[in-house]
Amino acid sequence: MHVVGTLFIMKLLIATRNPHKLEEIREIFDLPGLDIVSALDYPEIPDVVEDGETLEANAVKKAVTLALATGLHALADDTGLEVDALHGAPGVYSARYAGEHADYAANNRKLLAALNETDNRNAQFRCVIALAEPDGRAQYVEGVCRGAIARAPRGENGFGYDPLFVPEGHERTFAELASAEKHRLSHRGRALTEARRAWSERLAPEPEKPNPAP
Ligand code: IMP
């Protein structure tokens, strides 16, 4: 942290090279004195291999690796789609459900095939966000969005499983919602709001008040 006038400036490194995620995080973490940078600003740091068995392990690994490499506070997220009838699968393997280099369409096809025989379409997106201190200590919070898996893909917006996911209380899939509406409901929006609540004092510390005159 350094001081400009009486305002403390703290850098927070976001462990992503995805400009859409970064934009969403910037909107929610608009704290005074917080300077948000991302992995795009540190091209020399290699991508962290997400080989944990849980969302928590991956988020913490990414945040701690970047914090130790840069000496900054670092924030990282990991998200999975957890389907009740599949006992929480694809979960931490959501990105590579249909294979190591599977695209979104292949993952969606595999999910529809896996649920072909069942009427239980209930599912949730779960997002874990970890914050690591420059010394490598980390904490995490989570955000959950419950919903159901549609019978066929619908909509053009978003990414990943969005064309198949109908958030609870809604008729349309995430891919049929405007992005602001999705962000308001989504697992990542909820996790980010919780992260801001839990860590805003740490990330945007008030300048110390001068001692009152005797
Ligand atoms: P990541 O941890 O954000 O990279 O997410 C892992 C995988 O989960 C992605 O490759 C997507 O398949 C899926 N995913 C994560 N967030 C979303 C979302 O908001 N909508 C749809 N799919 C998502």
Side-chain angles (χ1 to χ4, degrees):
M1 191 183 348
H2 63 283
V3 185
V4 179
T6 53
L7 186 65
F8 288 83
I9 301 289
M10 183 189 273
K11 266 194 184 176
L12 175 65
L13 172 58
I14 312 295
T16 186
R17 299 189 207 277
N18 176 334
H20 301 292
K21 258 193 203 177
L22 197 55
E23 198 43 47
E24 194 182 346
I25 293 171
R26 278 217 165 94
E27 273 171 28
I28 293 182
F29 275 80
D30 60 340
L31 299 168
L34 189 64
D35 178 15
I36 291 190
V37 295
S38 80
L40 290 170
D41 301 306
Y42 294 84
E44 68 283 6
I45 300 179
D47 280 338
V48 177
V49 181
E50 296 184 29
D51 54 3
E53 287 183 9
T54 61
L55 300 173
E56 287 78 2
N58 280 339
V60 166
K61 180 180 178 187
K62 281 189 278 186
V64 169
T65 305
L66 284 177
L68 292 177
T70 59
L72 299 173
H73 284 75
L75 193 95
D77 73 316
D78 200 28
T79 296
L81 176 66
E82 300 175 333
V83 179
D84 294 3
L86 304 178
H87 312 290
V92 71
Y93 305 107
S94 293
R96 48 205 150 109
Y97 184 41
E100 202 53 47
H101 301 291
D103 61 11
Y104 295 144
N107 286 335
N108 284 343
R109 279 196 302 274
K110 179 165 177 180
L111 179 59
L112 284 177
L115 292 180
N116 200 22
E117 305 281 311
T118 173
D119 286 332
N120 180 1
R121 318 290 296 182
N122 297 333
Q124 64 184 22
F125 274 115
R126 195 163 69 87
C127 174
V128 174
I129 296 188
L131 174 69
E133 312 268 339
D135 64 5
R137 279 176 302 157
Q139 281 184 295
Y140 56 80
V141 296
E142 71 167 23
V144 168
C145 180
R146 292 286 301 167
I149 304 300
R151 300 261 165 199
R154 298 196 315 260
E156 304 296 327
N157 301 333
F159 68 101
Y161 298 93
D162 280 350
L164 288 181
F165 188 80
V166 181
E168 209 164 64
H170 292 255
E171 303 277 302
R172 290 181 292 166
T173 67
F174 265 168
E176 293 176 306
L177 297 178
S179 71
E181 209 176 343
K182 175 187 165 187
H183 290 169
R184 201 173 47 76
L185 298 171
S186 83
H187 44 295
R188 196 164 19 257
R190 287 178 180 165
L192 284 168
T193 304
E194 175 59 16
R196 183 191 153 117
R197 194 199 60 73
W199 300 326
S200 61
E201 276 183 17
R202 190 169 328 163
L203 294 174
E206 289 285 316
E208 273 177 35
K209 298 211 171 56
N211 289 331

